[in-house]
Structure formats: structure tokens, C-alpha cells
Amino acid sequence: MEHIPKEALLQAAVELFGEYGYNKVSIRQIADKAHTNSAMISYYFGSKHQLYEAAFMSQISALKEFIVPDLAVLDPRDVIRRYAAAMEKIHAENPLLLNIICRELSDPAEQHNMLPEKIGPQLYRILSETLTRGISQGLFREELAVRPAVILLVGVANFYYLTHNIHSQIIGPEKETEQEDTYMKQAVEIFLTGIERRPHP
């Protein structure tokens, strides 16, 4: 049996799950794309579902750099900036991630619910606690509704990538990396300006 690196199977899984979704991809298809025997999937991962989980988590590994124990002692504004930077890195390194996430959201079958199961609740907790701490420290507006603000922040951090095909056709693909960096920096600062506490007149 030909030995194939584990990473080759992960990459094949990411590409196929991203293009076709979990239910329409077979173990044989993944193995064929990775140029190996389907038994290697069982050897490395155990099952199709476990391979999907590993593929999904490999796509969001940059969040490990964001989710660290010392977040609670940082300035809440810096936590938000770190989150935005992590999302920019994730999307830059994993262009198929949004395909997988969009498929999860549009077809939340029991077999592939990695977003709500693995990362969604933890990410929401961190961001909501950060905003709440910012309010209590007098940095953010007292009347700020935390849950909608978290949804807005996540939307701001992902909107550019969700609409990539549209705006690249409208404004052109030139200097795409530079545009991404400019968008994220501007977006997070506009978000922070909107939620920062203002002195009473």
C-alpha cells in the first residue's frame, strides 16, 4: 500500500467537501484525489466524519493564535483587532473555507455540524465577554447590545470574503492582498468607532 502524507488526504478532503459538500463526497473520491487507497483514510482518521472534522479544523487553525488564555487581560479593543487579524489570515490561507461554512449553514445535517459544535460557541463567548468587559470598563457605549454587536463584528470580518466574486468583478482583481488588508483594518476601526463610549455633552 502506497504511503501518502496525511496532509494530502486533508487537502483532498478540503477541496472536495468545499466544492460538493459532505453528503455528495465519498471516501473513494477523496482517496482517488489524494492518489492513495481508501484504507488510508481509516488508518489516519478513522471515518469520513472524522476526516471532515480534521479538514474543517485545519482550515481554522489560525484561530488558535487568537484564542489564548491572556485575552481577558488585554484591552478589549486589541482583542477585537486580534480577532480581525486572525480572520484575515484564515481567509487568505484557506480560500475554500467559506464554501464549507456556507454549505454547513445551508444544510446543517447532523453529519457535518462543525461550526456550531467546534468553534461557534467558543468564539461567541470570547467576543461577547470582550464587549461586555469593554462596557464595564467604560470603553464601549453603555447601551450597546452585545449579541447584535457580536453578529455585526463577525459579519464585518467576513463580508469582504463572502462578496469576493462580486466586488472583484466590479473593481477588478488588482492588488487583491493589499485591498484585503486595507478593508480589514478600516472595517475594524469603523466598528470600534461605532461602539466606543462618547463623552456626555
Side-chain angles (χ1 to χ4, degrees), residues 12 16 19 36 43 47 58-59 72-73 75 97 117 127 133 137 144 156-157 171 176 193 196:
L16 289 171
E19 184 172 359
T36 189
Y43 175 77
S47 67
S58 73
Q59 293 284 285
V73 303
D75 185 310
L97 175 61
E117 181 180 298
L127 295 177
R133 186 160 54 86
Q137 292 176 1
L144 183 68
V156 163
I171 65 177
E176 196 66 31
T193 299
E196 283 179 345

Side-chain angles (χ1 to χ4, degrees), residues 122-172:
Q122 184 182 17
L123 188 57
Y124 174 78
R125 176 184 57 78
I126 290 172
L127 295 177
S128 61
E129 288 177 355
T130 297
L131 293 176
T132 300
R133 186 160 54 86
I135 295 171
S136 67
Q137 292 176 1
L139 299 172
F140 301 151
R141 295 159 56 176
E142 294 177 347
E143 72 275 18
L144 183 68
V146 171
R147 180 169 180 168
V150 171
I151 294 172
L152 176 60
L153 174 58
V154 173
V156 163
N158 291 280
F159 179 79
Y160 181 92
Y161 305 94
L162 284 167
T163 60
H164 180 271
N165 289 337
I166 297 174
H167 65 68
S168 63
Q169 291 178 24
I170 295 173
I171 65 177

